[in-house]
């Protein structure tokens, strides 16, 4: 059962190992959004995304003998790198199952961090089945990308920081828009805000056509995406919300927000132009929602996560071209 004490325990284990990312702002972004925009740039976290928090939390919570046998994970790239680095720092082996169409940078970085990478076809193969088979064959512990209590706890430490930083800025009421795939970051932040900043409300943001969380929240039960690929926001394309994450989001989150791939590209460009921050499209979807769905947001302030910055050069150039 997920609770705030698990998040606080994870924060204690992460102390000295993760970066406390700031809240950034720009009057130019405020003008577009029609309110003050505060950006939590987890793209500045180790491995370029918030996923290192969950990876370290999960590995550090394992029994030492179990951890020594190694871990396995499946990911389009950010969870892969987070787990790979956490495993490397713990001195244990890691196997990462990645979709063959993941950005080359993410695949190369995961290998460079010492992980064994196993590629699969996300449209025709089941990563859960592949992971279960390899875990059984090699005695590895599976660390799921979002539907894992200790991973959620690690991601929730982002919410503890947001709550403290908002208090320092005098922000007592605001939507906190979170880039959302399976819901690990969103549900972890929601739990942290419930405890430490009840005036702040987590809201998931997703790319158009892959808005399973928004649709699930609207209908009150888990809905699947009709397709598993086809968005440049690859980092947050998942089949459906998690069994652990969805009940938390259903209880605590406001309605989901949806932005297009083109809007995500524009948000990537604005993050670089105005904040000097490099975001990937999936990591910028919350900022896109804040900038281009202003009529669906209330209040004078909005807080958004930039969840990752692992973007290929060609995609980044495509984003910057929207400024012309």
């Amino acid at each position: 059962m997920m609770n705030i004490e698990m998040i606080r325990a994870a924060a204690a284990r992460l102390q000295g190992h993760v970066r406390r990312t700031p809240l950034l702002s720009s009057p130019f972004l405020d003008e577009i959004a029609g309110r003050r925009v505060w950006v939590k740039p987890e793209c500045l976290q180790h491995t370029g995304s918030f996923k290192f928090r969950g990876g370290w939390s999960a590995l550090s919570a394992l029994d030492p003998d179990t951890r020594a046998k190694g871990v396995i994970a499946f990911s389009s790239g950010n969870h892969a790198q987070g787990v790979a680095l956490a495993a490397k720092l713990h001195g244990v082996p890691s196997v990462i199952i990645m979709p063959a169409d993941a950005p080359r940078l993410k695949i190369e970085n995961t290998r460079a961090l010492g992980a064994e990478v196993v590629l699969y076809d996300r449209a025709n193969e089941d990563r859960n089945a592949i992971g279960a088979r390899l875990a059984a064959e090699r005695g590895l512990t599976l660390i799921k990308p979002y539907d894992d209590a200790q991973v959620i706890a690690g991601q929730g430490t982002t919410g503890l920081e947001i709550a403290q930083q908002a208090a320092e800025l005098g922000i007592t009421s605001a939507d906190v828009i979170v880039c959302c795939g399976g819901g690990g970051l969103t549900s972890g932040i929601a739990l942290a805000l419930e405890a430490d900043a009840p005036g702040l409300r987590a809201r998931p943001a997703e790319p158009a056509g892959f808005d399973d969380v928004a649709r699930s929240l609207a209908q009150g039960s888990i809905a699947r995406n009709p397709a598993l690929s086809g968005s440049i926001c690859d980092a947050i394309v998942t089949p459906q919300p998690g069994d652990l994450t969805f009940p938390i989001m259903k209880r605590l989150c406001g309605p989901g927000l949806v932005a297009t791939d083109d809007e995500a590209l524009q948000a990537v460009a604005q993050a670089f132009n105005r904040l000097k921050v490099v975001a990937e499209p999936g990591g910028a979807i919350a900022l896109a929602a804040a900038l281009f769905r202003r009529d669906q947001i209330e209040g004078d302030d909005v807080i958004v996560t930039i969840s990752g910055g692992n973007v290929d050069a060609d995609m980044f150039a495509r984003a910057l071209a929207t400024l012309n």
Side-chain angles (χ1 to χ4, degrees), residues 58-108:
L59 265 89
S60 62
L62 289 173
D63 171 85
D65 291 336
T66 301
R67 184 170 57 234
K69 296 176 183 177
V71 296
I72 187 169
F74 38 80
S75 166
S76 63
N78 288 334
H79 180 62
Q81 293 173 76
V83 170
L85 179 58
K88 180 179 181 179
L89 293 175
H90 278 92
V92 302
S94 63
V95 176
I96 310 294
I97 303 162
M98 302 184 69
D101 63 349
R104 185 173 60 226
L105 175 67
K106 295 182 179 181
I107 294 173
E108 292 174 350

Side-chain angles (χ1 to χ4, degrees), residues 186-265:
T186 308
S187 60
I189 287 177
L191 284 168
L193 297 180
E194 178 190 32
D196 286 7
L200 306 186
R201 177 180 66 163
R203 295 184 66 183
E206 299 167 286
F210 300 89
D211 57 343
D212 50 295
V213 173
R215 289 183 290 110
S216 297
L217 290 174
Q219 73 181 32
S221 60
I222 289 178
R224 287 183 61 87
N225 281 322
L228 297 180
S229 63
S231 171
I232 61 172
C233 300
D234 61 282
I236 56 173
V237 171
T238 53
Q240 64 184 52
D243 292 333
L244 292 181
T245 62
F246 179 66
I248 298 170
M249 293 188 289
K250 181 180 177 181
R251 183 171 70 85
L252 296 175
C253 288
L257 294 158
V258 180
T260 67
D261 280 4
D262 285 345
E263 289 167 337
L265 284 175

